[in-house]
Amino acid sequence: MSLFDPFHLPFMARALAELVILGVLAGTVGVLVLLRRLAFASDTLTHTVFPGVVIGYLLGGDGGIFWGALAAGIVTAVLLTVFTHRRRVSEDAALAMLLTSLFAVGVVLVSRQTGYTSDLTAFLFGRVLTVTQEQLVQTGVVTVLVVGLLAVLRRPLMLRAFDPEGAAAAGVRVSLLDLVLNVAIALVIVAAVRAVGTILVIALLIVPAAAARALSDRLMVIVPLACLIAAAGGWLGLAVSFDASIHYGLRLASGGTIVLVLVVMYGLATLAGTVRRRVPLLQGGRAKEGARLDEPELEAAR
Amino acid sequence: MTGQAGRTAALVLDRASVAYGDVPVLEELHGTVYAGEAVALIGPNGAGKSTLIKAILGLVPTVRGRIEVLGVAPAHARRDVAYVPQADTLDPDFPVSVEQVVMMGRYRRIGWLRRPSAADRAQVAEALEQVGLSGRARDRFGTLSGGQRQRVLLARAISAQPRMLLLDEPFNGVDAVSQHSLLEAIAALKARGAAVVVSTHDLAIAHLACEEVCLLNRQQFGFGPTGTVLTPERLRATYGGRALELRGDRVIVTQT
């Protein structure tokens, strides 16, 4: 299997570029999703962006997809922020019903098209091999904006994720910050929709961040590592699916292959993380040392 | 505002009532805490101790009367007020070092973009020194014991150089060493002129560390010097009688 040759083909090179940019975007936002435990909110967004994609496509063709997804994503991000702050998300049966309904609206609308199954598959699972120059630019712009914004807000975001009450006490406007993050998640989904589809984007958000967290305890390492893992997963996934179809006659959907590669990487990262924590036995030894250090203090306390 | 004997009032409760929306939580609170002094908020669970702390932070509205913090409305005083949450409410898996947690106390001064200066780092080191955890600066927050985490959160508050310190049940489940260290650090802040508000179930700590006591259970059952307010009768009234046990002249809260 070759890791480089396939990317001499222009469409493969564009696909790779798209996945690397998306990796940086999803890796960064994914770490915040992990820290804030927002996997459920992210899942919500993937369900509501789908009808937006379909409506955008029906109204404006291929070019309408981005804007339809964007509108649906931002509306959902706002509603989600409002609901969470009024503690209504706990009514999860109602929410699940709403999400499925919106999803069904998307399916019904797309079923009226002639190329029904092929369109549906494209929206749900993406078509990374047909990424255009224009899409690459859109993804790049979204990535620069989102990563830049999160970098500027990194201190309030971290404080809010670690200690929401302390953040509010320090004067951080928590609801506004939550809106920013929800919109950022929506933008990742919007940016990724045509390349990996609304279903698989959730893996791109969650799996690289979780893998990076398994490997490190430091945010300064976790964020770049998550970006690297996401990008590497995209690259390997593309290479594997290309190789399988060219040399073995196996047609592997690239989106699905990428997700599976990411999951394998997560497995390896967890394994490596466990080994790293167990083998030197330094961590455990240090905790005991800490307990011993307390004893002179105890003397002083008396 | 300057009260008797030239003392500066840090916290003024003036017939204040506090409510979440339409639900009144605390009514008719009245009392003053001066700079350099500490008040213990004492009362059963659900009495409204945490709510009063949030009202002092301006996060819960005062619906009647007035709360004044450092001479201004609560929401305008936040820059000089530091809040210490209960350590066990925070996620122990969060990837953050002890040093980084304490640096959070400096965020308001550092701003969003600037890198922490040498002065910020010195404040962080000094705050950690004060709570006796200098050696643990680079460890992950979650690897520390409960009492040590509580001390880190106090160090975070100290690094903000506050004029008022609010602590929510800081002594719950805390070992003796940490309790001693917390009390020493609180005394140091008071000596520097900061006012301290601390909610606790522990009457011994109120006697040890606080000049004033505020007995709370939805309303005020007493506010004044610790020696005069912490009487068995008033405690029984606050706790509704059943939760107290008298042993000689000592009152023990048996049920929280």
Side-chain angles (χ1 to χ4, degrees):
Chain A
M1 193 179 90
S2 167
L3 288 177
F4 299 102
D5 288 348
F7 302 106
H8 292 311
L9 297 166
F11 75 93
M12 285 298 279
R14 278 196 301 272
L16 178 63
E18 171 79 3
L19 287 170
V20 167
I21 301 171
L22 277 178
V24 171
L25 176 62
T28 310
V29 177
V31 172
L32 281 158
V33 169
L34 182 82
L35 293 179
R36 289 276 321 280
R37 300 172 195 271
L38 286 176
F40 179 70
S42 312
D43 202 34
T44 306
L45 279 157
T46 63
H47 278 75
T48 56
V49 164
F50 177 65
V53 167
V54 176
I55 291 169
Y57 177 67
L58 293 181
L59 291 179
D62 265 338
I65 292 180
F66 180 83
W67 301 106
L70 187 67
I74 287 177
V75 168
T76 315
V78 171
L79 289 178
L80 209 57
T81 313
V82 172
F83 278 150
T84 326
H85 279 264
R86 294 196 177 160
R87 297 169 204 282
R88 296 254 169 91
V89 164
S90 55
E91 295 167 18
D92 53 353
L95 197 65
M97 208 150 69
L98 179 72
L99 293 184
T100 331
S101 316
L102 285 170
F103 204 75
V105 167
V107 176
V108 167
L109 285 175
V110 84
S111 71
R112 299 181 58 246
Q113 296 297 105
T114 38
Y116 164 47
T117 24
S118 127
D119 286 344
L120 186 65
T121 315
F123 296 148
L124 292 177
F125 304 110
R127 271 194 193 134
V128 72
L129 300 184
T130 60
V131 164
T132 63
Q133 202 69 42
E134 186 204 356
Q135 274 170 263
L136 268 181
V137 172
Q138 277 173 350
T139 312
V141 170
V142 169
T143 302
V144 168
L145 285 178
V146 169
V147 173
L149 184 66
L150 296 184
V152 168
L153 292 174
R154 66 192 187 280
R155 283 177 186 143
L157 281 167
M158 184 154 123
L159 180 55
R160 187 264 176 268
F162 175 65
D163 175 11
E165 290 199 341
V172 172
R173 295 180 63 185
V174 172
S175 48
L176 199 62
L177 209 57
D178 288 1
L179 179 63
V180 168
L181 183 54
N182 284 339
V183 169
I185 298 170
L187 286 173
V188 175
I189 293 165
V190 171
V193 103
R194 279 193 290 188
V196 298
T198 54
I199 301 281
L200 298 179
V201 58
I202 201 85
L204 213 51
L205 268 172
I206 293 178
V207 180
R213 176 70 186 88
L215 289 173
S216 174
D217 284 334
R218 296 177 54 214
L219 272 179
M220 293 290 281
V221 177
I222 293 173
V223 175
L225 200 56
C227 297
L228 202 70
I229 291 172
W235 177 27
L236 273 177
L238 272 183
V240 167
S241 68
F242 184 85
D243 200 58
S245 72
I246 297 294
H247 296 111
Y248 302 95
L250 276 174
R251 285 185 54 204
L252 303 182
S254 38
T257 312
I258 291 164
V259 172
L260 291 178
V261 167
L262 282 174
V263 171
V264 169
M265 290 173 86
Y266 171 74
L268 292 174
T270 315
L271 201 68
T274 315
V275 170
R276 186 179 67 100
R277 286 188 181 94
R278 289 266 169 84
V279 167
L281 285 172
L282 276 173
Q283 304 273 335
R286 231 170 57 215
K288 277 189 201 113
E289 204 179 292
R292 251 181 277 125
L293 272 179
D294 272 359
E295 277 166 27
E297 272 185 65
L298 195 62
E299 286 302 316
R302 290 174 190 136
Chain B
M1 199 169 108
T2 304
Q4 334 117 325
R7 296 187 299 172
T8 312
L11 171 66
V12 177
L13 304 174
D14 182 10
R15 309 198 84 74
S17 296
V18 171
Y20 279 112
D22 297 331
V23 188
V25 181
L26 287 163
E27 299 196 81
E28 291 280 315
L29 304 178
H30 202 78
T32 304
V33 184
Y34 294 95
E37 291 187 353
V39 62
L41 307 180
I42 290 180
N45 279 343
K49 301 187 295 280
S50 299
T51 306
L52 177 54
I53 287 177
K54 290 204 175 97
I56 296 170
L57 286 164
L59 299 175
V60 178
T62 308
V63 288
R64 273 189 309 281
R66 187 173 57 103
I67 295 181
E68 202 180 90
V69 180
L70 304 169
V72 292
H76 294 126
R78 280 189 202 136
R79 204 190 166 79
D80 292 308
V81 176
Y83 167 70
V84 181
Q86 285 185 57
D88 57 14
T89 60
L90 304 181
D91 175 9
D93 287 331
F94 203 93
V96 63
S97 72
V98 164
E99 202 171 32
Q100 284 174 313
V101 172
V102 180
M103 189 60 87
M104 289 176 185
R106 303 293 300 167
Y107 279 1
R108 294 215 82 176
R109 284 162 210 272
I110 300 173
W112 287 1
L113 295 174
R114 194 166 65 76
R115 289 173 67 85
S117 66
D120 293 317
R121 293 187 187 285
Q123 280 293 336
V124 167
E126 196 194 315
L128 272 173
E129 175 94 50
Q130 273 200 45
V131 299
L133 288 174
S134 296
R136 307 297 298 270
R138 298 200 167 257
D139 291 3
R140 188 164 62 81
F141 179 72
T143 61
L144 271 57
S145 76
Q148 289 169 332
R149 281 182 232 170
Q150 195 68 63
R151 281 148 73 186
V152 173
L153 293 176
L154 180 60
R156 178 177 78 173
I158 292 171
S159 81
Q161 298 174 298
R163 289 166 61 205
M164 183 182 289
L165 183 68
L166 308 175
L167 303 105
D168 196 356
E169 304 277 3
F171 304 106
N172 268 7
V174 160
D175 58 284
V177 178
S178 288
Q179 178 170 319
H180 177 79
S181 168
L182 286 169
L183 285 171
E184 275 202 334
I186 290 171
L189 273 168
K190 281 164 64 181
R192 267 196 239 159
V196 176
V197 177
V198 51
S199 73
T200 179
H201 289 296
D202 193 330
L203 303 182
I205 282 174
H207 275 293
L208 214 60
C210 301
E211 288 76 15
E212 307 269 322
V213 164
C214 173
L215 290 173
L216 280 180
N217 194 357
R218 300 277 159 181
Q219 50 171 315
Q220 185 174 305
F221 284 84
F223 195 128
T226 309
T228 40
V229 173
L230 273 190
T231 61
E233 297 74 38
R234 291 209 195 202
L235 281 167
R236 202 174 285 121
T238 311
Y239 280 83
R242 58 196 150 64
L244 288 175
E245 203 177 294
L246 290 168
R247 285 186 194 155
D249 58 342
R250 291 190 60 197
V251 185
I252 292 160
V253 179
T254 54
Q255 185 189 318
T256 55

